[in-house]
Amino acid sequence: MDKIVMKGGAELHGEVPVSGAKNAALPILASALLADGTSTFRNVPDLADVATMLKVLRTMGCGAERLEGRKKDVCEVGVNGHITPEAPYDLVKTMRASVLVLGPLVARFGRARVSMPGGCAIGARPIDQHLKGLKALGAEIHLTEGYVEARAKQLKGGTVNFDVITVTGTENVLMAAVLAKGRTVMENCAREPEIEELAKVLNKMGARIEGAGTSIITIEGVEGLTPVEHAILPDRIEAGTLLVAAAISGGNVLVKHAVPEHLDAVMDKLREAGCTLTAEAGGIRCKAPKTLTSVNITTTEHPGFPTDMQAQLMALMCVSQGTSVISENIFENRFMHVPELHRLGADITIQGHTAVVKGVKTLSGAPVMATDLRASASLILAGLRAEGRTDVSRVYHLDRGYERLERKLRALGADIRRVKAKA
């Protein structure tokens, strides 16, 4: 099993590019099911989750491959009428986002059999809102032997009012509604940039969607869609992580391709902590202060502070002056990185869904273990500041959402390397 080995203390300087957004690439790859022919997607990050989605599509009978050589950021998905509309448990269990094929399969092929994703390390994350939305469009839903079976000869437009805001639920129902007969109105939708990106792709395929990025999305169903070529937008969470890397190391870094309007809440907190954030033509620059100031953070749905940046900001608060109160309102188990930060010398107290972080002058390197995707990033960020050597194990979590993060940090001056597992 690979691990990341690093020595802290180096200030990061220079420029670093952001890869394509994982959370945009996954639903967009699934959307290729909605049209016969070959869709081509560029700027697709080389991540474990993307590889899993491509495998799910191949299992169904699609041609789904990443191109080699100079075009390795390009994925092609070829679809014909001969599809096996099933996503098996052995794939869905490794990546919950596999459930995103449910909506396209029902809409296009009239049936789908997709394994229930179950829970995950950071919380239950049920799909009841996905099923509620599909039922509202006329799908018959049955739960049998751990699978969701959905059928509909022809989905029909309707009103879908989500009980809670759900990103993948919004995406799944949106992909189903584009081929439903008539008008669909989706209310209480998630507003993330990745949903706007999915709607943009679907509209390029011939869909008629308005309102993506707001809480109400309106879709006029069409009879069919055509394949598309599209470049995936930059990953705002990777960009935010790299900005924090500059801040925690005391450095000055230009994060290339980062989109400022996608990171307003994160940039506001970094400024509050004392950093200088400037939007430049090539991205966002973060210049760290001599002394960081503690700030309070409350996670909430977009456009509020993203839960996917909570662990990274907590690492920053560990070495900031003062006391920070961090409230997690999205996932119930998203403080699993705290015991590992304790091993590095952090002063953190958990009180239910709130963490109280008292800044310390120094962290000390130690062996730590990643528990989930964003937790792994927080440990690497803390390791940038810790005195001595930090070993981060279980970095397969990191590889789900960050494309060669250790290489990007090393290019900025970090003393960091990946140690490959022994065969």
Side-chain angles (χ1 to χ4, degrees), residues 16-348:
V16 60
V18 175
S19 299
K22 172 182 85 93
N23 290 337
L26 297 177
I28 287 170
L29 288 170
S31 75
L33 289 164
L34 291 165
D36 266 353
T38 299
S39 290
T40 302
F41 303 110
R42 292 175 282 112
N43 199 34
V44 181
D46 187 8
L47 304 171
D49 277 8
V50 170
T52 299
M53 181 60 82
L54 293 173
K55 190 172 183 180
V56 169
L57 293 169
R58 287 195 298 271
T59 299
M60 295 177 183
C62 301
E65 301 292 343
R66 179 181 293 278
L67 301 189
E68 299 295 332
R70 297 175 65 183
K71 295 184 177 181
K72 62 183 179 180
D73 71 329
V74 177
C75 290
E76 291 184 345
V77 181
V79 182
N80 57 44
H82 305 290
I83 294 294
T84 302
E86 179 172 332
Y89 171 71
D90 63 337
L91 291 177
V92 178
K93 72 178 181 181
T94 65
M95 185 187 69
R96 290 183 48 84
S98 304
V99 78
L100 285 166
V101 300
L102 183 61
L105 288 175
V106 178
R108 176 81 195 289
F109 302 101
R111 62 190 179 94
R113 187 172 186 265
V114 177
S115 174
M116 291 283 286
C120 72
I122 61 172
R125 306 173 82 178
I127 62 167
D128 58 312
Q129 297 302 301
H130 302 230
L131 305 185
K132 175 184 176 179
L134 294 175
K135 285 180 181 178
L137 301 182
E140 294 182 3
I141 306 289
H142 299 283
L143 306 180
T144 59
E145 299 177 342
Y147 279 78
V148 176
E149 294 188 355
R151 290 182 177 272
K153 288 184 178 180
Q154 169 68 65
L155 293 176
K156 295 179 173 60
T159 299
V160 178
N161 192 327
F162 294 108
D163 299 319
V164 295
I165 295 174
T166 163
V167 174
T168 52
T170 299
E171 292 166 342
N172 230 340
V173 178
L174 177 61
M175 288 188 282
V178 295
L179 292 182
K181 188 175 182 178
R183 169 179 284 200
T184 297
V185 178
M186 298 167 54
E187 301 174 347
N188 198 29
C189 297
R191 299 161 59 187
E192 273 72 4
E194 294 80 12
I195 290 172
E196 290 187 72
E197 182 83 344
L198 174 61
K200 183 185 298 184
V201 170
L202 294 171
N203 281 340
K204 286 171 72 172
M205 296 172 76
R208 298 170 62 191
I209 303 168
E210 294 182 354
T214 74
S215 60
I216 299 177
I217 301 176
T218 303
I219 307 101
E220 297 287 349
V222 297
E223 290 188 2
L225 300 178
T226 56
V228 69
E229 181 174 336
H230 185 79
I232 306 295
L233 86 171
D235 194 310
R236 62 192 172 97
I237 303 302
E238 183 195 0
T241 302
L242 292 167
L243 292 173
V244 176
I248 202 169
S249 72
N252 183 343
V253 173
L254 174 64
V255 181
K256 296 173 66 178
H257 313 311
V259 181
E261 52 265 37
H262 293 172
L263 288 160
D264 284 341
V266 173
M267 293 172 66
D268 285 347
K269 288 301 175 184
L270 288 173
R271 288 192 179 105
E272 196 178 335
C275 298
T276 300
L277 277 293
T278 53
E280 300 186 7
I284 303 171
R285 181 176 296 279
C286 179
K287 184 178 181 180
K290 290 185 178 180
T291 302
L292 292 158
T293 302
S294 291
V295 300
N296 296 332
I297 297 161
T298 300
T299 66
T300 187
E301 293 86 359
H302 190 80
F305 191 90
T307 181
D308 279 353
M309 283 298 302
Q310 177 258 108
Q312 297 92 310
L313 262 289
M314 184 182 289
L316 187 68
M317 293 302 97
C318 288
V319 292
S320 297
Q321 194 171 71
T323 299
S324 172
V325 178
I326 300 177
S327 300
E328 174 56 60
N329 294 319
I330 306 299
F331 295 121
E332 64 268 27
N333 295 330
R334 206 151 203 183
F335 286 147
M336 292 192 298
H337 46 283
V338 170
E340 302 304 304
L341 290 172
H342 283 160
R343 291 177 54 78
L344 299 174
D347 185 348
I348 308 169

